[in-house]
């Protein structure tokens, strides 16, 4: 089955202590869609301006990403610019130009509305609602978010949580949402807000799932150097959703392995600027790292 | 086989946002010795003053810890006082009274010198050297340390590293020692300083081993609340060394499971002030959490 992914489709200008790369293909939906494409067909919902480079449309096409839901409107593509500190953990936004994204009104093609697996990647909760409103009884809906929406759109986000099967957020966002320092206590509180599956991302420390079958401690793949972590979280959840959309059996019996596949896809994302490394990866390389992670965690 | 453990034996006055407990049994050697005692006989090397409460000697005795190497000298026992911030990750030292510890000169009883497993728990590197100088061909020597010794006794510590099989330190200390932000890159550099086994502790994020058989990603046991993390790192390495001292087979085939046992022992340590919870634990409870960790990490 395919995964429907809505989120931002952007141009990212990224500065790290070692290099600077302007106008890379970025945005939560781009990273998630490319990650998911290794495992299942992807239907993309997003908007770009008429300045969007043709080579990026070709990149989506190479990954067989369905672009019927990608609007190309007169105006500028969403442009984000950010800078990472030496340890690559802290970043600051230098510039945000919303462009055509400011008035984005996602309208789903008829063929999209029956999608069973829906990933509401990071985007305003109102838009996540709007997409969900157009869906016909999806099987598994997961949303990601960011601190910005906790700050300026919390009521929308809280309403969204009641409509989700799974919610993915990072540890500082979980703290912001629940006021709990302890991630396990935070997950318990988030379940009460709606989602049956709660996943907290901890960057290089991996991630944790709380679900009907209890906790799962998901490791990050060991990387000796990180080139650019932008999009790693989106790659993680995109890879997981792509895996789940084609895996046989129940969500419960597949979600741990889905997170592992997501974790490995995210590791490749970190090894290059933007999507530079991810787009060069072969499925066999992903499978090899999954096998390595099995060995690295057995005792 | 038994484990010889040298380190600090102290009275800890600990303040957390929720409670305050004066003059608890503490010190790196106390925590490590009690942790190791669940798995193997322990020989303790340390010093206390004549104010050391009799009930703490009885506590050591209940854990069958050999006290032939514990000096009781006229004067005051080492007293440390510290306070934790709300999130329990940051602590600040309020007071350090060295007492008899200031002139501690560990002299090993003859029966101690043949010990095969040696844990040089956190203490000045000069004292760790001094103990090692008295040993006859130990099989497996592991040392722990702290930021203080990296600051004021680095040359001693660097000399010590060449004499160790294993070195245990936390992530910020690894960064301080190697100037590497990436833990895997840091471990590679630490191997070059001597130790075959390097273990980096990451608190609630678990720990990582780099050894002859590659990496092992060791999870922390999920705790919904932490009462007092003092001594958790010492409990971790103590539990691991106790496990290794009695496990059949090579270090390589046992060290992963040893870390898991250490991790579980440390989880109990965090659930009470000082050693309050650890001393009430039964081996069967430790085994149960190890089984849980197996389930929490399988995919």
């Amino acid at each position: 089955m395919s995964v429907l992914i809505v989120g931002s489709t952007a141009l990212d200008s990224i500065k790290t202590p070692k290099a600077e790369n302007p106008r890379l293909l970025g945005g939560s939906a781009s990273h998630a869609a490319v990650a998911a494409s290794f495992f299942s067909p992807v239907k993309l919902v997003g908007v770009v301006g008429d300045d969007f480079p043709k080579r990026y449309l070709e990149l989506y096409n190479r990954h067989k990403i369905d672009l019927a839901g990608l609007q190309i409107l007169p105006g500028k593509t969403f442009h984000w610019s950010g800078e990472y500190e030496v340890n690559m953990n802290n970043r600051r936004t230098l510039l945000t130009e919303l462009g055509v994204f400011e008035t984005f009104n996602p309208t789903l093609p008829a063929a999209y509305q029956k999608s069973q697996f829906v990933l509401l990647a990071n985007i305003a909760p109102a838009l996540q609602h709007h997409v969900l409103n157009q869906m016909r009884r999806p099987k598994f809906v997961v949303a990601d978010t960011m601190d910005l929406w906790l700050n300026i759109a919390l009521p929308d986000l809280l309403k969204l949580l009641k409509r989700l099967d799974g919610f993915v957020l990072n540890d500082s966002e979980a703290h912001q949402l629940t006021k709990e320092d302890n991630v396990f206590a935070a997950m318990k509180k988030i379940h009460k807000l709606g989602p049956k599956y709660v996943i907290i991302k901890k960057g290089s420390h991996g991630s944790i799932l709380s679900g009907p079958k209890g906790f799962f401690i998901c490791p990050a793949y060991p990387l000796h150097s990180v080139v650019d972590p932008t999009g790693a979280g989106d790659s993680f959840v995109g890879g997981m959703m792509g895996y789940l959309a084609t895996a046989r059996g129940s969500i419960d019996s597949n979600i741990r392995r889905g997170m592992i596949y997501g974790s490995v896809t995210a590791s490749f994302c970190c090894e290059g600027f933007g999507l530079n490394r991810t787009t060069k990866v072969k499925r066999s390389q992903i499978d090899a790292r999954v096998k390595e992670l099995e060995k690295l965690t057995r005792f």
Side-chain angles (χ1 to χ4, degrees), chain A residues 56-256:
Chain A
Y56 292 156
L57 292 175
E58 287 163 359
L59 185 157
Y60 288 140
N61 282 325
R62 279 201 303 281
H63 283 269
K64 300 191 171 42
I65 294 168
D66 184 339
L67 300 180
L70 181 70
Q71 303 171 28
I72 303 178
L73 300 181
K76 288 200 166 186
T77 302
F78 178 29
H79 180 212
W80 175 80
S81 169
E83 183 173 21
Y84 285 89
E85 287 178 16
V86 176
N87 70 10
M88 303 298 279
N89 287 325
N90 302 322
R91 79 172 178 204
R92 61 194 188 99
T93 292
L94 299 173
L95 175 122
T96 306
E97 295 169 306
L98 288 176
V100 294
F101 211 73
E102 197 157 5
T103 53
F104 180 36
N105 182 23
T107 306
L108 268 53
Y112 277 42
Q113 297 172 9
K114 291 182 194 168
S115 295
Q116 297 286 287
F117 289 81
V118 178
L119 172 54
L120 308 169
N122 175 33
I123 195 176
L127 294 177
Q128 293 175 317
H129 276 290
H130 190 64
V131 166
L132 213 45
N133 291 342
Q134 297 171 64
M135 300 301 303
R136 298 186 199 163
R137 305 172 58 85
K139 182 184 167 188
F140 193 62
V141 180
V142 169
D144 195 351
T145 195
M146 73 183 289
D147 53 355
L148 176 66
W149 313 123
L150 291 165
N151 288 329
I152 69 166
L154 186 59
D156 278 353
L157 185 64
L158 290 174
K159 264 183 240 163
L160 184 77
L161 289 181
K162 296 188 195 306
R163 306 179 70 186
L164 302 177
D165 298 293
F167 186 44
V168 178
L169 70 177
N170 71 32
D171 40 7
S172 66
E173 291 155 2
H175 170 68
Q176 193 181 338
L177 178 60
T178 64
K179 314 293 174 231
E180 282 286 350
D181 283 300
N182 181 292
V183 287
F184 301 100
M187 288 194 284
K188 202 173 167 182
K189 282 196 176 176
I190 297 170
H191 280 306
K192 287 184 182 159
L193 298 173
K196 197 169 153 188
Y197 301 88
V198 178
I199 294 174
I200 292 186
K201 298 174 288 184
K202 307 192 297 171
S204 63
H205 301 302
S207 57
I208 300 173
L209 162 73
S210 173
K213 290 203 168 180
F215 296 119
F216 171 54
I217 301 172
C218 176
Y221 181 84
L223 290 178
H224 291 249
S225 84
V226 169
V227 173
D228 169 22
T230 311
D234 307 308
S235 301
F236 167 74
V237 67
M240 179 186 84
M241 287 297 279
Y243 180 85
L244 287 174
T246 50
R248 283 182 200 180
S250 68
I251 297 291
D252 271 338
S253 58
N254 292 322
I255 192 163
R256 290 173 167 227

Side-chain angles (χ1 to χ4, degrees), chain A residues 205-207 216-222 256-257 260 263-264 289-299:
Chain A
H205 301 302
S207 57
F216 171 54
I217 301 172
C218 176
Y221 181 84
R256 290 173 167 227
R257 191 157 276 267
I260 292 288
S263 181
V264 164
R289 283 196 178 178
V290 168
K291 277 203 176 146
E292 264 191 87
L293 270 187
E294 276 182 18
K295 284 186 194 163
L296 290 172
T297 54
R298 291 291 173 274
F299 57 88

Side-chain angles (χ1 to χ4, degrees), chain A residues 30-71:
Chain A
S30 301
H31 279 281
V34 170
S37 75
F38 292 105
F39 311 100
S40 72
V42 175
K43 293 177 160 58
L44 183 67
V45 179
V47 64
V48 295
D50 49 18
D51 62 343
F52 193 67
K54 203 181 159 201
R55 67 179 185 282
Y56 292 156
L57 292 175
E58 287 163 359
L59 185 157
Y60 288 140
N61 282 325
R62 279 201 303 281
H63 283 269
K64 300 191 171 42
I65 294 168
D66 184 339
L67 300 180
L70 181 70
Q71 303 171 28

